[in-house]
């Protein structure tokens, strides 16, 4: 009996020592860096970044996104305002040789007393991977020419450099974030939702969707941005007679959801080089038996880590967040999907929503069964790292109030505007860096070497 008790005590002591060790190691960093907190206002309507391109019926707000799951199609969108114009895109491999044509379509919508311009969408198909294409539209009136490079053919060791931006808006901070991203230079952007913040203006002034489209064109016309929808895309306003959720967003920003078998544009997947990226919608139903739940269940089975070793999930509302802003809002989706994410060995989960930056340790919180009290996040090598990158710099300003003390799941947090870049090197290693918009100077404030959860499941990440 005595020996047994001593044995138990010994085990308890070891467990305690282990816990203390984990605790000591778990202490996260709250960056001391503080940005000036000034009022955030949208750039004025006459700002240079909102200038309407010259010429009768000139295409404006040009943007591209992937037109299929694997990167052999690209959807080009633009707006004309003087008249419908021509929905054809001419394209080719040299500026002077646009020898291919694709027919687009156009749409428009009303929002309260706003009527949109003619919104054109045209998908270019059968493209070669990793190839630069020039494209032009506006035939019959003012022709504008742009270019993009299609993503490389998916494969396990294909490197790829991806920008990570969230909650951008259209303030001078937003402009600074975009300028910094242009300097760090990714090949595509994974955008974590909340684009224009038009809904912060009286009557959700949809002219602010147009200004945002013109502002972002300098990047989005030249490389695909992959869209996650945020709460500022919902635009549900019964007081204005507007009861169709996502109306402005869905008319303006198509996504390639059908090519991954999704019935809705708000959740879908794409493959970029060695990454399989799953986009989830925080603002669509995701409970058991819902379309999003069923789609994700099937989608996780379709992921082929031999082809795309990096499994990335993005949604707007973070599952792990230690700021006082939107605290625990992501809990319902975490509870619903975290077990799947751990079982699938998801590498990284990106979110926005909280206007600040945060990176978690690899943690999971999947034991709880109502009666056992096991409801704390614990270190878990099988689990993803959670990143909140909601710090694009919008009209609502920074989230600067944090829960204290810093919880054990939180590895690094800082209330600054910025963006991040994920630099996938091969099937085992990816370099990640977060950049704050520090007074106009590009500084990498948080960097990590991530090791792949499929090919190096027992390795810790390193800084
Ligand atoms: C936005 O940034 C660009 C690039 O740095 C600059 O040329 C432009 O003047 C800025 N506009 C405003 C309104 O801040
Ligand atoms: C919509 O209504 C607002 C408020 O009454 C007004 O300021 C604005 O000019 C109207 N816009 C249009 C296009 O009628
Ligand atoms: C649109 O422009 C293309 C390219 O110039 C041309 O071939 C086509 O006939 C035009 N379509 C219409 C409806 O004008
Ligand atoms: C997974 O990808 C590899 C590499 O591209 C391929 O050889 C294999 O057939 C794929 N497996 C399935 C089930 O599609
Ligand atoms: C909950 O977990 C506790 C502790 O592991 C276990 O005793 C209990 O049976 C579980 N309850 C259910 C309903 O699974
Ligand atoms: C993968 O990339 C990392 C970082 O560049 C490098 O250290 C490692 O050797 C590479 N692995 C292979 C198999 O090339
Ligand atoms: Fe948000």
């Amino acid at each position: 009996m005595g020996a047994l008790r001593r044995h138990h005590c010994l085990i308890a002591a070891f467990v305690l020592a282990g816990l203390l060790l984990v605790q000591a190691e778990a202490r996260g960093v709250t960056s001391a860096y503080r940005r000036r907190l000034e009022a955030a206002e949208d750039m004025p309507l006459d700002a240079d970044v909102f200038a309407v391109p010259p010429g009768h019926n000139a295409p404006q707000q040009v943007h591209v996104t992937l037109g299929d799951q694997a990167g052999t199609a690209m959807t080009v969108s633009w707006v004309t305002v003087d008249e419908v114009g021509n929905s054809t895109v001419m394209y080719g491999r040299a500026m002077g040789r646009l020898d291919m044509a694709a027919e687009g379509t156009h749409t428009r919508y009303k929002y309260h007393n706003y009527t949109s311009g003619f919104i054109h969408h045209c998908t270019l198909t059968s493209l070669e991977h990793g190839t630069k294409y020039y494209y032009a539209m506006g035939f019959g009136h003012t022709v504008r020419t742009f270019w993009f490079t299609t993503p490389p053919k998916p494969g396990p060791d294909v490197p790829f450099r991806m920008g990570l931006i969230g909650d951008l808006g259209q303030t001078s901070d937003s402009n600074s974030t975009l300028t910094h991203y242009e300097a760090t230079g990714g090949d595509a952007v994974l955008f974590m939702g909340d684009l224009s913040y038009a809904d912060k203006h009286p009557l959700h002034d949809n002219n602010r969707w147009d200004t945002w489209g013109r502002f972002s064109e300098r990047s989005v016309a030249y490389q695909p941005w992959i869209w996650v929808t945020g709460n500022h895309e919902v635009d549900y306003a019964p007081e204005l007679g507007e009861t169709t959720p996502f109306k402005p967003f869905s008319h303006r920003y198509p996504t390639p959801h059908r090519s991954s078998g999704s019935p809705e544009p708000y959740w879908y997947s794409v493959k970029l080089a060695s990454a399989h990226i799953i986009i989830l919608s925080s603002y669509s139903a995701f409970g058991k038996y819902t379309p999003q739940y069923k789609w994700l269940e099937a989608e996780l089975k379709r992921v082929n880590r031999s082809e795309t070793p990096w499994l990335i999930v993005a949604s707007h509302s973070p599952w792990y967040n230690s700021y006082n802003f939107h605290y625990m809002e992501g809990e319902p989706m975490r509870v619903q999907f975290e077990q799947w994410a751990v079982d699938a060995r998801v590498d990284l989960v990106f979110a926005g929503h909280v206007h600040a930056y945060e990176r978690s340790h690899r943690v999971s919180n999947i034991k709880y069964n109502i009666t056992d009290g096991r409801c704390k996040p614990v270190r878990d090598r099988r689990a993803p790292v959670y990143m909140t990158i909601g710090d694009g710099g919008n009209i609502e300003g920074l989230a600067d109030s944090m829960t204290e003390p810093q919880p054990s799941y939180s590895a690094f947090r800082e209330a600054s505007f910025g963006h991040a870049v994920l630099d996938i090197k091969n099937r085992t290693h990816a370099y990640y860096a977060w950049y704050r918009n520090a007074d106009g100077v590009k500084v990498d404030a948080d960097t990590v070497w991530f090791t792949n959860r499929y090919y190096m499941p027992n390795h810790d990440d390193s800084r």
Side-chain angles (χ1 to χ4, degrees):
M1 236 1 235
L4 192 64
R5 197 174 302 127
R6 251 199 324 279
H7 188 66
H8 276 159
C9 280
L10 222 76
I11 289 175
F14 272 122
V15 166
L16 198 69
L19 277 177
L20 284 174
L21 227 113
V22 166
Q23 280 298 312
E25 186 195 325
R27 200 156 299 139
V29 174
T30 295
S31 169
Y33 184 88
R34 282 291 173 281
R35 183 191 159 278
R36 278 170 299 133
L37 290 170
E38 70 245 1
E41 282 207 22
D42 280 353
M43 292 180 280
L45 292 172
D46 61 359
D48 53 1
V49 292
F50 298 148
V52 174
H56 177 74
N57 214 34
Q60 54 166 277
Q61 308 174 46
V62 179
H63 53 92
V64 298
T65 196
L66 293 190
D68 68 2
Q69 193 190 32
T72 55
M74 200 74 90
T75 301
V76 178
S77 306
W78 71 96
V79 176
T80 52
V81 296
D82 301 322
E83 53 184 288
V84 179
N86 184 319
S87 294
T88 300
V89 169
M90 300 290 298
Y91 61 105
R93 297 200 187 181
M95 182 77 98
R97 193 165 50 83
L98 306 183
D99 47 9
M100 293 176 273
E103 276 304 309
T105 58
H106 75 271
T107 181
R108 66 192 316 192
Y109 70 92
K110 286 187 191 304
Y111 193 94
H112 191 64
N113 70 348
Y114 165 94
T115 305
S116 76
F118 304 95
I119 305 172
H120 304 258
H121 302 296
C122 180
T123 299
L124 319 184
T125 56
S126 307
L127 303 175
E128 299 278 328
H129 281 289
T131 303
K132 185 171 182 179
Y133 288 92
Y134 296 85
Y135 68 98
M137 78 293 279
F139 297 100
H141 302 118
T142 305
V143 177
R144 295 182 72 204
T145 306
F146 302 84
W147 56 86
F148 58 72
T149 300
T150 50
K153 186 172 164 38
D157 291 301
V158 182
F160 197 77
R161 193 169 156 80
M162 196 187 322
L164 302 159
I165 302 176
D167 303 71
L168 187 56
Q170 45 190 306
T171 69
S172 56
D173 292 313
S174 325
N175 196 30
S176 173
T177 300
L178 190 58
T179 303
H180 282 88
Y181 168 62
E182 290 172 305
T184 51
D187 301 317
V189 168
L190 179 55
F191 186 85
M192 260 62 74
D194 286 358
L195 287 67
S196 74
Y197 289 78
D199 62 347
K200 300 293 287 187
H201 292 271
L203 309 178
H204 294 221
D205 186 0
N206 275 228
N207 290 296
R208 282 291 180 177
W209 275 103
D210 294 311
T211 53
W212 196 83
R214 295 198 291 271
F215 156 59
S216 53
E217 181 187 277
R218 71 182 202 236
S219 175
V220 195
Y222 297 95
Q223 56 171 259
W225 285 35
I226 311 302
W227 304 109
V228 173
T229 44
N231 51 310
H232 292 284
E233 275 71 72
V234 181
D235 282 308
Y236 172 75
E239 71 281 11
L240 303 178
E242 291 301 340
T243 53
T244 306
F246 304 110
K247 192 200 253 182
F249 175 83
S250 62
H251 279 83
R252 293 166 183 273
Y253 291 92
T255 68
H257 64 98
R258 284 192 193 87
S259 60
S260 54
S262 163
E264 297 276 344
Y266 317 115
W267 66 86
Y268 60 99
S269 74
V270 295
K271 296 177 191 177
L272 285 176
S274 44
H276 187 120
I277 302 172
I278 294 178
I279 308 295
L280 297 178
S281 174
S282 302
Y283 307 103
S284 304
F286 50 79
K288 196 164 184 177
Y289 313 123
T290 61
Q292 186 169 202
Y293 176 101
K294 290 185 144 181
W295 176 83
L296 180 61
E297 186 175 39
E299 175 67 9
L300 287 169
K301 296 194 182 92
R302 288 190 287 261
V303 176
N304 180 349
R305 301 296 276 273
S306 304
E307 185 196 33
T308 50
W310 295 91
L311 180 51
I312 293 172
V313 172
S315 69
H316 187 61
S317 191
W319 299 0
Y320 284 93
N321 157 39
S322 76
Y323 286 81
N324 284 314
F325 294 82
H326 305 301
Y327 187 64
M328 288 182 74
E329 272 184 33
E331 279 293 281
M333 190 183 264
R334 181 189 69 76
V335 168
Q336 197 63 259
F337 294 145
E338 186 178 17
Q339 180 77 58
W340 288 358
V342 173
D343 290 347
R345 304 294 190 272
V346 168
D347 290 293
L348 305 167
V349 177
F350 292 108
H353 201 35
V354 180
H355 301 162
Y357 173 69
E358 184 161 25
R359 173 174 55 81
S360 81
H361 292 290
R362 291 198 183 276
V363 290
S364 68
N365 185 358
I366 47 182
K367 293 276 191 275
Y368 187 49
N369 77 355
I370 302 283
T371 57
D372 63 3
R374 296 163 77 185
C375 52
K376 286 204 168 84
V378 293
R379 289 296 192 96
D380 188 343
R381 275 211 181 100
R382 302 167 305 161
V385 170
Y386 295 88
M387 242 101 45
T388 302
I389 306 177
D391 55 347
N394 60 67
I395 193 170
E396 294 181 332
L398 272 178
D400 59 335
S401 162
M402 301 168 180
T403 64
E404 300 293 353
Q406 184 168 11
S408 61
Y409 57 79
S410 174
F412 183 94
R413 54 186 188 172
E414 180 178 316
S416 289
F417 293 129
H419 79 281
V421 171
L422 181 69
D423 218 333
I424 297 175
K425 304 290 187 189
N426 53 37
R427 74 185 67 191
T428 54
H429 286 79
Y431 183 71
Y432 166 86
W434 173 69
Y435 299 90
R436 72 165 78 91
N437 301 351
D439 302 319
V441 183
K442 203 179 74 188
V443 178
D444 55 346
D446 184 39
T447 60
V448 189
W449 276 100
F450 289 121
T451 45
N452 186 270
R453 287 305 91 186
Y454 183 77
Y455 284 101
M456 294 181 79
N458 299 317
H459 282 72
D460 288 321
D461 308 310
S462 57
R463 302 205 55 204

